[in-house]
Structure formats: structure tokens, C-alpha cells
Amino acid sequence: MAEIVDVRRSILEANEAAATQVRGQLARALVVNLISSPGSGKTSLLEATMPAIKDSLSLAVIEGDIATDRDAQRLRALGVPAVQILTGGACHLDARQVLKVLAEGHFQAPDVLFIENVGNLICPTSYDLGEDFKVALLSVTEGDDKPFKYPAIFATAQVTVITKVDLLPYVTFDLDAVKAQMRSLNPTGSILLTSARTGQGLDQWIGMLRSSLDAKRRAPA
Amino acid sequence: MHELGVAMEIYRISRDAVAGHGAGRLESVRVAVGELRAVDPELIKFAWQATVAGGPDAGSELIVDWHPAVQRCETCGADKARDTAGWLPLCPDCASPLRVDGGLELDVLQVSYLREEEERAVSGGVG
Ligand SMILES: Nc1nc2c(ncn2[C@@H]2O[C@H](COP(=O)(O)OP(=O)(O)O)[C@@H](O)[C@H]2O)c(=O)[nH]1
Ligand SMILES: [Mg+2]
Ligand SMILES: [Zn+2]
């Protein structure tokens, strides 16, 4: 007779424990986890954001990629400390990798830490990195059916950014269809429209970041 | 896509759970997997076989309790039937927006463990 042992433990418990430690270490920083498919414009949105806020807020970026430190270089070129995590093929960042970067002391506790996840709409969704919220990016060239095709990320992200809206005149992308899917998947989430090319929507995006940081710092610990 | 990493975590937790139970081998491990967790129920079983192959727990079974997400109508207050992996845009009965609920399970539930002494007793061997 086999012995039955009740376990009831989260499969991701090791990641979750690390995420809790990240939260503890960055209790006064806003931590944003950016998730999208490759090429949706995560790095471009960060590049467009930096000049507008780097004088008033201290910033840091963690870049997750399978290979190359190109994205970290793009941000360092703007004078922002950016650390590249190379996952060597892994499809998502893990909180233990974030914890390791924090321990290496590349930057002082920032006001805002952006974590650009590995380009993938699926796997990063389940891994809490200690962020305050996830941001899902969807570029208008990817098609307006993506929220229902990748429900987990669009249901989980507190903010969805529709990127590259400067290209709307050239593509078939029904914004109302996206909003309808989002109402169902994520009724309390917000949707922003941005273009890193023209700067459209960046004020709202930055306003959202600032008010989230303020709200976090005002909230009782 | 990351089923192998997930399988290795399941294995670590399962072995940890029986650490105080004497020598033996895993017979089966039961896990709960939610639809929204990006873990494929078939791939995770292959990943499990790859994880235990060649070790003391080779041949053990991973049993997956699959938990689909539901779409609930706040207006009529009921879960609406949907096709596997398909989503309803609006409530088929009252056209209200639907809320997605559940499907976030990802837990090791239970381990079935065969202790060495018992196995010897069962097979009639002498100790
Ligand atoms: N037209 C247009 N192109 C953009 C915009 N944002 C990014 N791109 C382009 O999309 C490509 C991928 O952008 P990148 O920021 O590297 O995407 P990531 O892989 O998500 O980090 C690049 O060629 C960018 O120039 C935008 O707002 N408008
Ligand atoms: Mg990038
Ligand atoms: Zn209804």
C-alpha cells in the first residue's frame, strides 16, 4: 500500500519566495514588469519614457533577453543604469534572477524599476517578479484578436498599452474589438494608447507611473 | 514552453514532501494546473517523464487535475458554457460583458509514496 502524503504547495513557491524578497527590498520603489511579444515596442517605450522622467525620478532597468545585451545598451545610451539578464533560451524571467541583480549592486534603490521581460506573451505571465503591476503591450501590427488568444496576460496585467498607434492608418486594427475583449478579461484594468514614434499618449503613461508611485508611497506599509 | 522547469519544481517539492518518510520511491504525484497558467497538461507529463528518467523515481506517474477558467455573467449570475480554449465575447443570454474567473491553479496536491520496506514485504522478500 502506497502512503498518500498531502502536499498542497504552490509549484512556483521558490519564485514566489524570491518575489516577496524583491518586494521587501524595493518597498519604496515602483516596480513595473513589461510583457509583450518580441517587437511590440517595450524597449522603444522605455526609451521614449526616460528623457521625460529621468531628471525628476531615479530610474533603473532590468532587461531580460535570450541573447545579446542590445536592449540594455540602448537604455544605457540614455544615461539610465540598465542591467541585462541573459536567460540563455529560457522563455521568462524568474524572481531569483531579479534578486541576484539587486544583490550585485548595479544601482541604488531607484524610484522606478522597469523590468523588460523576455519577449513572450505566455510564459512570463505566471512568474511574479516582485512587481507592483504587470504591463502588457500590444502593438497595432499584431492584430486586434490577441487578448482572447492570450487571455492570461491580458487578464493579469493591470495596464495594457496599445503601442505604435502612429501606424493605425496603415493597418486593420479594431480598437473597439480590443476594448470589448479587455472588458471581459480584465474589467478593472486600464488601457493606454501610445506611440514611441510621435510621443502620443506618453503623458498619460508617465502620469500613470507617477501616480502609482505616489499611491505606493502614501499607502501604509 | 517552460514545462521542463515546472516539472523540475514539482519534483523538488514532491521529494521534499516525503523527505521524512524513509527510503522509497514516488508512485505518483497529483498536481492542479489552471488553464491560464501556460502549462500544457500533456507536455507537462512528458516533461515529468524526462525529469524522473534514470533516477529512483523513474516510471512514476504525474496526474494532472485540469482546471479550466470560467466565464461568468454578473448580470445573470451564472457560468456560461464555452468551447475548449474559446472565449465568448458577450453573455449569450443577456449580452452583458462576461468576467473570466479561475484557471490560476498551479499546485502540488498529493504524493503517493512506496516505502522500500513495504515493497519488500509485499513482494514476499526477506529483509
Ligand atoms: N512606427 C512605430 N514603430 C515602433 C514604435 N515603437 C517601436 N517601434 C519599432 O518596432 C520595432 C521593435 O521595437 P522594440 O522597442 O525593440 O520592441 P521590443 O522587442 O518589445 O523591445 C523597432 O523597429 C521599433 O523601431 C512606435 O511607436 N511606432
Ligand atoms: Mg526589447
Ligand atoms: Zn448574462
Side-chain angles (χ1 to χ4, degrees):
Chain A
M1 267 296 288
E3 185 182 353
I4 304 296
V5 182
D6 265 314
V7 185
R8 300 201 179 268
R9 280 160 64 177
S10 164
I11 292 172
L12 301 179
E13 61 176 19
N15 180 76
E16 285 153 11
T20 302
Q21 285 190 56
V22 170
R23 274 199 184 88
Q25 291 183 26
L26 296 174
R28 287 192 51 78
L30 184 71
V31 182
V32 180
N33 181 359
L34 300 165
I35 298 175
S36 79
S37 55
S40 301
K42 298 178 292 297
T43 311
S44 301
L45 179 64
L46 292 180
E47 285 174 315
T49 306
M50 296 307 163
I53 59 172
K54 74 175 185 172
D55 293 333
S56 52
L57 296 170
S58 66
L59 307 172
V61 180
I62 294 176
E63 287 287 342
D65 274 299
I66 286 175
T68 86
D69 71 340
R70 195 177 132 69
D71 283 2
Q73 285 182 29
R74 283 167 62 181
L75 289 150
R76 270 185 230 131
L78 299 169
V80 175
V83 181
Q84 187 77 47
I85 296 175
L86 293 180
T87 64
C91 48
H92 60 271
L93 288 176
D94 185 291
R96 286 165 282 192
Q97 293 168 305
V98 176
L99 208 50
K100 181 162 171 284
V101 167
L102 295 181
E104 286 164 355
H106 299 277
F107 46 77
Q108 297 301 306
D111 294 319
V112 183
L113 172 64
F114 295 101
I115 304 174
E116 179 180 338
N117 220 309
V118 180
N120 180 330
L121 270 178
I122 306 167
C123 310
T125 311
S126 296
Y127 291 79
D128 181 1
L129 301 182
E131 71 268 0
D132 291 289
F133 52 85
K134 292 181 169 72
V135 174
L137 289 81
L138 172 63
S139 60
V140 300
T141 52
E142 287 169 74
D144 50 28
D145 56 351
K146 291 304 172 289
F148 272 177
K149 280 196 168 172
Y150 299 90
I153 180 57
F154 290 101
T156 314
Q158 186 177 316
V159 179
T160 295
V161 181
I162 310 291
T163 59
K164 311 193 192 180
V165 294
D166 58 288
L167 298 179
L168 274 174
Y170 312 105
V171 294
T172 308
F173 185 88
D174 183 348
L175 201 52
D176 290 332
V178 170
K179 286 182 177 164
Q181 294 165 63
M182 292 303 296
R183 254 201 312 282
S184 170
L185 290 171
N186 194 341
T188 60
S190 58
I191 301 177
L192 299 174
L193 308 181
T194 65
S195 166
R197 179 67 51 84
T198 67
Q200 184 185 334
L202 290 181
D203 287 350
Q204 284 91 330
W205 159 250
I206 290 166
M208 181 281 296
L209 295 172
R210 284 190 190 280
S211 59
S212 303
L213 176 63
D214 289 347
K216 180 173 185 181
R217 289 188 171 168
R218 270 200 313 273
Chain B
M1 211 167 147
H2 52 271
E3 276 79 4
L4 200 53
V6 171
M8 286 160 68
E9 285 294 308
I10 296 171
Y11 188 65
R12 184 188 62 75
I13 292 169
S14 304
R15 266 287 155 193
D16 187 53
V18 297
H21 293 245
R25 62 185 177 86
L26 300 173
E27 181 184 52
S28 65
V29 173
R30 181 179 291 274
V31 296
V33 174
E35 180 180 3
L36 297 180
R37 286 304 202 157
V39 171
D40 182 88
E42 289 310 311
L43 290 183
I44 189 67
K45 289 184 195 171
F46 291 134
W48 175 261
Q49 291 311 331
T51 301
V52 296
D57 301 306
S60 60
E61 188 192 2
L62 186 73
I63 303 163
V64 177
D65 289 353
W66 178 247
H67 294 264
V70 297
Q71 281 189 289
R72 181 163 297 146
C73 178
E74 311 267 85
T75 308
C76 16
D79 291 352
K80 302 293 157 179
R82 51 180 272 258
D83 292 339
T84 315
W87 298 87
L88 302 164
L90 290 171
C91 177
D93 301 315
C94 75
S96 302
L98 295 166
R99 269 273 291 280
V100 175
D101 248 331
L104 294 174
E105 295 79 359
L106 201 56
D107 300 291
V108 179
L109 301 176
Q110 224 172 42
V111 171
S112 167
Y113 192 59
L114 286 164
R115 282 200 290 175
E116 235 167 51
E117 312 144 27
E118 288 180 23
E119 279 203 89
R120 273 201 296 269
V122 170
S123 61
V126 278

